[in-house]
Amino acid sequence: MSGYHANAFTKGSPLGRYVIKRFVQMVVLFLVFFALSWIALQAIPGNSIEQQLRLNPNLPPEAITQALARRGLDKPPLEQFWLYTKAFFTGDLGVSWSRYPQPVSKLIAERLPRTVMLFSVALLFQYLIGFQAGKYLAWRRNKRGEIAITIAGVSLFTVFYPWFGLMMILLFAVKLGWVPTNGFIVEATWRGAPVSANHVMVIMFFSLLAVTAFIGLTSWASSRLDQPNRRRLVKIGAWVVGLGGFWLFWATNQYLVYAKDVAVHLVLPVSVLTMVGFAGVMLITRTSMLETMKEDFVTTARAKGLSEAMVRDRHAARTALLPVSTSLVLAVATVIDGGIITESIFGWPGMGQLLLASVVSEDIPVALAAFSFTGILALLGHFAADILYGVLDPRIRVTSQG
Amino acid sequence: MTISNEVSNDAPILDVRNVVMHYRTEKGDVSAIENVSFSLKSGESFGLVGESGCGKTSMAMALLQLQAENATFKGGEIVLNGEDMLKMNPAEVRSHRWSDISMVFQGAMNAWNPVHRVGAQIKEAMDLHIRPQLSHTESRERIASLFEMVGLDPEMMDRYPHEFSGGMRQRAIIAMALSCDPQIIIADEPTTALDVIVQDQILTELKKIQHDLGMSIIYISHDIAVIAEVTDRMGVMYAGKMVETGPTIEVFHNPKHPYAFLLLSSTPSITGPRRKLAPLEGEPPNLLDPPPGCRFHPRCPFVTDQCRTEEPPLAEIGGGHRVACWNWESVPPLSEGLRK
Ligand SMILES: Nc1ncnc2c1ncn2[C@@H]1O[C@H](COP(=O)(O)OP(=O)(O)OP(=O)(O)O)[C@@H](O)[C@H]1O
Ligand SMILES: [Mg+2]
């Protein structure tokens, strides 16, 4: 069974080299980002920091001395940087100035999963729906519905996003009352809850990830089976087992009520993000598909007697996926700025809101940490998208040797 | 590898009868194939020759029903083993593709999908057409033996197309074309993009494979010398029409259509007698608005009034040699050349 793919992941394979190279790039990029954010902080003169600290009503005097000592303001800049770096990488992020004495690491640990949850689910939907829509749009070119969907897509793509978000809240939350207007949970539901909301959300995230990975990997493996009818059986089986398992897991789960609460709050932001983002993916896919459909290898595929669906999915769409996965790299980067806007509109207490709040309240330790972790998040997403691209396009692995 | 060496009856396995195919464009209809007929017997190799744009690729694509979307058939039949392909539904057409007729495309450099392994792309066709279906190991063994046959290292089947050189890709395409034991292989300019030495090797190999496996081959080229080297019978196309067909030796040494005659006299011959080079003057006609009568008449040195109005039929002149010309008897032997 392993014949065709046996050598793809072996040591020193082009893909392996590609991944290592990308990883090193990511680490270097993070270090640069980390140093730059520290230098930006240096632009604030030391005594003004001290003044600010003294003006901050949340901080007792011993906290101020502690904070100043932590930064080693009496030491030369390089040593200050070293102190800061050492502290950061040993997990000591200091305490929040605006929410003294909460440790910064606790704040981040609380906020980070929420942002990851919201955006990974939204990105997943954006790409799944956008890719399928774009694929059919190109394939059914000049047939009915194409123009309508394209116009809808372009309008969604170019709409002023905060306005659109507010309109959707107005419609679905205020007018129709189908979903909550904002927030992450309803406090009342969680009074006396045996778990934290974050814990439930992490379980939700990983159960979703497990199902997606299971269905994805099984369908992929099924295409390597010999008999076509068995392939289809395995594919259908993967969906049934995956979705059934997911349902069973949650139906018997004691945290179901809590999970439902979080899920209900996710619906609107995820839908709005999906609607705005899927249009872009759809348009890229459509363009890319129209390009690939003209390629000679699509004619070869037809000449071999493949059915139209096989030509479309295995040849045209599979190759059209390459530019689409490049766009994922960019999409991940927009999570940083989009995150602040989205989380503000929907009152989602994630990293974006934390960043905004800490900057407004001049809570420098939190701002710095939030900034660094948002950066890490974006870089990890970028890294994942890069690897995906390398897996999808065998040619890129060769150029990566240079 | 089963050999389809049924040289039983003389019934052709492929019979193209009076096919007319036009391309619809904004400027009007392009008359790309106009009343073309030819047939192919089992084990035979047939050559199709003509200038660029005369409709060779259009004809080849029509045989697989892979014509462009704007193409329409205005008449004729493409009879494969007694069945008219133009009357088949898409599923029936698909079942004949590659299993009965496979193709080595013009400019096959881009005929491979860059994201799939070459072996997997061949296996895809075999999974579809070979019954009972081969197991994974059997497929690999079959691909390995095909690779050996076309002079490729079997290890290469696990590589991606970009790891192949141009010549290797073309060999692999030939291997793929052989993979489902087709009765007919269409080779559309299979070597034009390659350098001369590789061209020669591939031609020799194709010839040998065809001889060993006994399949029929339709060989398309603008180079009449190549056609002469590899085919038993040949047809000369001009501006969408078949102007001369017959045994290759006959057409090559004794062309009777003025176009074929000029084409051959402008081809320097190394082996044959020295020929005076008579240039083929003028341009092929615009197929949006082809000339009335014989399509070659504006360029023809033997033109008469009849040629300007009446279309000459493709008529037998003996020994299976057919010519579509009113004045074929005025065409001198090739060795004499054209007296100016
Ligand atoms: N899809 C199309 N729409 C309109 N015209 C077309 C189309 N495809 C081909 N043609 C025209 O039809 C004629 C025949 O083209 P074809 O590709 O069959 O020629 P060819 O003999 O294979 O030429 P070459 O030696 O350059 O490959 C040409 O005049 C070409 O411009
Ligand atoms: Mg051609």
Side-chain angles (χ1 to χ4, degrees):
Chain A
M1 229 40 272
S2 59
Y4 287 124
H5 280 264
N7 34 18
F9 286 92
T10 45
K11 208 174 116 236
S13 77
L15 187 61
R17 272 197 300 269
Y18 174 77
V19 170
I20 290 168
K21 197 181 158 196
R22 290 288 144 162
F23 185 77
V24 171
Q25 267 178 8
M26 177 181 72
V27 170
V28 170
L29 211 58
F30 175 70
L31 291 179
V32 171
F33 173 77
F34 180 78
L36 281 178
S37 55
W38 182 79
I39 291 169
L41 191 76
Q42 294 305 297
I44 308 173
N47 48 0
S48 98
I49 286 188
E50 195 173 333
Q51 262 171 26
Q52 273 180 28
L53 287 174
R54 294 201 191 289
L55 285 173
N56 192 328
N58 296 322
L59 290 180
E62 74 267 19
I64 296 171
T65 11
Q66 207 188 1
L68 289 176
R70 251 182 64 79
R71 294 200 55 216
L73 288 182
D74 48 339
K75 309 219 169 68
L78 263 179
E79 205 175 330
Q80 284 184 38
F81 180 62
W82 173 238
L83 273 177
Y84 169 64
T85 311
K86 209 166 69 180
F88 184 89
F89 285 102
T90 49
D92 173 15
L93 304 176
V95 288
S96 163
W97 291 354
S98 57
R99 301 173 199 212
Y100 187 80
Q102 282 211 47
V104 174
S105 49
K106 192 169 156 263
L107 281 172
I108 301 280
E110 187 182 273
R111 299 302 188 94
L112 198 62
R114 296 176 190 165
T115 296
V116 171
M117 178 76 173
L118 176 61
F119 284 97
S120 52
V121 173
L123 272 182
L124 182 73
F125 281 128
Q126 279 177 12
Y127 275 81
L128 279 183
I129 298 173
F131 184 71
Q132 292 298 325
K135 183 174 95 176
Y136 284 104
L137 216 54
W139 200 252
R140 288 176 48 87
R141 192 164 163 69
N142 299 328
K143 300 231 174 80
R144 254 182 329 148
E146 196 213 347
I147 294 176
I149 298 177
T150 309
I151 289 176
V154 173
S155 333
L156 281 172
F157 188 55
T158 49
V159 76
F160 182 56
Y161 163 60
W163 174 83
F164 181 68
L166 289 173
M167 287 300 122
M168 298 301 278
I169 292 177
L170 209 62
L171 180 61
F172 289 103
V174 181
K175 277 255 162 66
L176 298 170
W178 290 354
V179 284
T181 46
N182 72 351
F184 163 58
I185 48 170
V186 173
E187 291 287 346
T189 316
W190 293 77
R191 216 158 280 142
V195 276
S196 72
N198 263 21
H199 186 79
V200 171
M201 207 189 54
V202 169
I203 299 177
M204 288 167 73
F205 180 77
F206 281 104
S207 62
L208 215 59
L209 193 69
V211 171
T212 315
F214 175 76
I215 295 178
L217 285 177
T218 318
S219 318
W220 175 77
S222 77
S223 64
R224 257 127 259 285
L225 285 177
D226 276 340
Q227 272 86 27
N229 41 358
R230 215 182 290 167
R231 269 180 220 152
R232 196 165 318 127
L233 206 71
V234 169
K235 222 171 253 179
I236 295 169
W239 279 93
V240 171
V241 171
L243 294 180
F246 187 75
W247 180 81
L248 211 66
F249 175 78
W250 281 108
T252 58
N253 201 300
Q254 47 168 332
Y255 300 147
L256 181 63
V257 218
Y258 305 113
K260 268 186 181 159
D261 188 39
V262 174
V264 156
H265 283 85
L266 265 171
V267 171
L268 199 56
V270 166
S271 312
V272 169
L273 277 175
T274 304
M275 274 192 264
V276 173
F278 106 93
V281 179
M282 179 179 81
L283 296 177
I284 294 171
T285 309
R286 178 175 166 275
T287 314
S288 165
M289 262 302 262
L290 288 176
E291 226 24 70
T292 9
M293 277 159 60
K294 285 187 238 150
E295 298 270 3
D296 288 348
F297 62 76
V298 172
T299 311
T300 310
R302 280 212 176 85
K304 284 193 281 188
L306 267 58
S307 70
E308 285 298 287
M310 281 164 142
V311 175
R312 184 190 63 212
D313 294 342
R314 274 197 221 164
H315 291 275
R318 172 63 179 77
T319 314
L321 198 54
L322 301 179
V324 181
S325 70
T326 316
S327 82
L328 182 60
V329 176
L330 299 175
V332 165
T334 60
V335 169
I336 299 180
D337 56 338
I340 296 176
I341 299 172
T342 311
E343 291 184 2
S344 301
I345 295 174
F346 295 102
W348 188 262
M351 290 293 280
Q353 280 213 344
L354 184 67
L355 190 65
L356 193 64
S358 63
V359 169
V360 170
S361 64
E362 295 181 330
D363 190 343
I364 290 171
V366 173
L368 207 55
F371 210 48
S372 302
F373 276 92
T374 314
I376 291 178
L377 211 60
L379 284 170
L380 278 177
H382 195 132
F383 178 62
D386 259 352
I387 291 181
L388 180 68
Y389 192 83
V391 170
L392 289 178
D393 189 354
R395 289 165 298 182
I396 197 102
R397 300 176 211 156
V398 172
T399 42
S400 76
Q401 290 172 1
Chain B
M1 202 134 301
T2 53
I3 295 169
S4 49
N5 237 342
E6 322 132 10
V7 202
S8 51
N9 48 13
D10 260 6
I13 49 174
L14 179 74
D15 199 1
V16 176
R17 297 178 194 147
N18 310 317
V19 169
V20 181
M21 190 188 86
H22 290 181
Y23 291 112
R24 236 180 261 137
T25 69
E26 286 164 16
K27 291 182 207 143
D29 269 19
V30 176
S31 138
I33 301 178
E34 203 59 49
N35 210 5
V36 167
S37 303
F38 66 91
S39 64
L40 188 68
K41 293 194 192 84
S42 178
E44 184 179 54
S45 75
F46 182 80
L48 211 50
V49 72
E51 282 170 294
S52 182
C54 70
K56 306 182 295 291
T57 300
S58 302
M59 191 64 241
M61 291 310 225
L63 296 181
L64 276 168
Q65 287 298 290
L66 281 176
Q67 64 280 2
E69 271 175 26
N70 60 337
T72 44
F73 286 90
K74 305 258 165 165
E77 292 170 339
I78 297 174
V79 182
L80 175 70
N81 296 317
E83 277 182 279
D84 184 2
M85 290 196 69
L86 297 183
K87 293 204 180 77
M88 289 179 193
N89 66 34
E92 284 170 334
V93 168
R94 282 202 299 273
S95 73
H96 290 290
R97 286 182 185 158
W98 225 256
S99 60
D100 292 329
I101 306 184
S102 65
M103 185 156 178
V104 178
F105 291 97
Q106 178 168 18
M109 297 301 117
N110 305 318
W112 292 102
N113 187 329
V115 304
H116 297 302
R117 288 166 207 271
V118 167
Q121 296 187 51
I122 299 177
K123 185 173 183 288
E124 188 176 48
M126 302 198 309
D127 283 349
L128 211 58
H129 297 296
I130 297 180
R131 291 291 176 274
Q133 215 165 34
L134 301 179
S135 76
H136 190 78
T137 334
E138 286 168 338
S139 304
R140 289 183 66 85
E141 279 163 5
R142 185 172 170 94
I143 298 171
S145 70
L146 289 166
F147 268 36
E148 269 163 11
M149 193 184 300
V150 298
L152 283 173
D153 180 355
E155 304 258 303
M156 294 296 287
M157 79 171 92
D158 290 323
R159 301 283 185 87
Y160 289 95
H162 70 261
E163 298 173 79
F164 285 60
S165 70
M168 284 156 76
R169 273 185 231 188
Q170 201 63 319
R171 285 167 195 267
I173 284 274
I174 295 170
M176 181 155 79
L178 295 167
S179 64
C180 302
D181 262 337
Q183 293 176 291
I184 303 167
I185 293 183
I186 304 170
D188 186 1
E189 310 256 13
T191 58
T192 9
L194 305 174
D195 67 64
V196 190
I197 296 173
V198 182
Q199 262 187 35
D200 228 48
Q201 290 172 346
I202 289 186
L203 275 187
T204 315
E205 237 141 57
L206 256 179
K207 223 162 82 176
K208 184 173 169 294
I209 289 167
Q210 194 233 345
H211 181 260
D212 291 350
L213 303 182
M215 72 227 343
S216 310
I217 193 161
I218 296 177
Y219 207 103
I220 296 176
S221 177
H222 60 261
D223 186 347
I224 203 163
V226 167
I227 294 290
E229 195 181 321
V230 293
T231 63
D232 307 325
R233 288 196 313 121
M234 65 183 278
V236 181
M237 277 185 84
Y238 181 79
K241 305 207 61 147
M242 189 71 90
V243 293
E244 184 162 357
T245 65
T248 302
I249 306 177
E250 191 56 26
V251 177
F252 191 68
H253 293 290
N254 194 18
K256 281 298 165 206
H257 192 280
Y259 172 67
F261 172 81
L262 290 174
L263 203 63
L264 276 161
S265 35
S266 60
T267 309
S269 161
I270 301 166
T271 47
R274 263 185 97 87
R275 294 165 184 166
K276 295 187 197 109
L277 294 186
L280 194 54
E281 274 157 11
E283 293 285 315
N286 182 355
L287 294 181
L288 277 167
D289 181 24
C294 172
R295 289 191 172 182
F296 188 59
H297 85 249
R299 297 168 83 180
C300 185
F302 306 95
V303 65
T304 57
D305 278 345
Q306 189 183 22
C307 307
R308 298 197 175 92
T309 51
E310 273 179 75
E311 217 180 296
L314 190 64
E316 173 86 36
I317 61 165
H321 194 168
R322 297 157 140 243
V323 180
C325 178
W326 295 122
N327 306 313
W328 64 270
E329 277 157 316
S330 337
V331 178
L334 202 52
S335 51
E336 283 178 22
L338 195 64
R339 280 152 295 156
K340 275 253 158 167

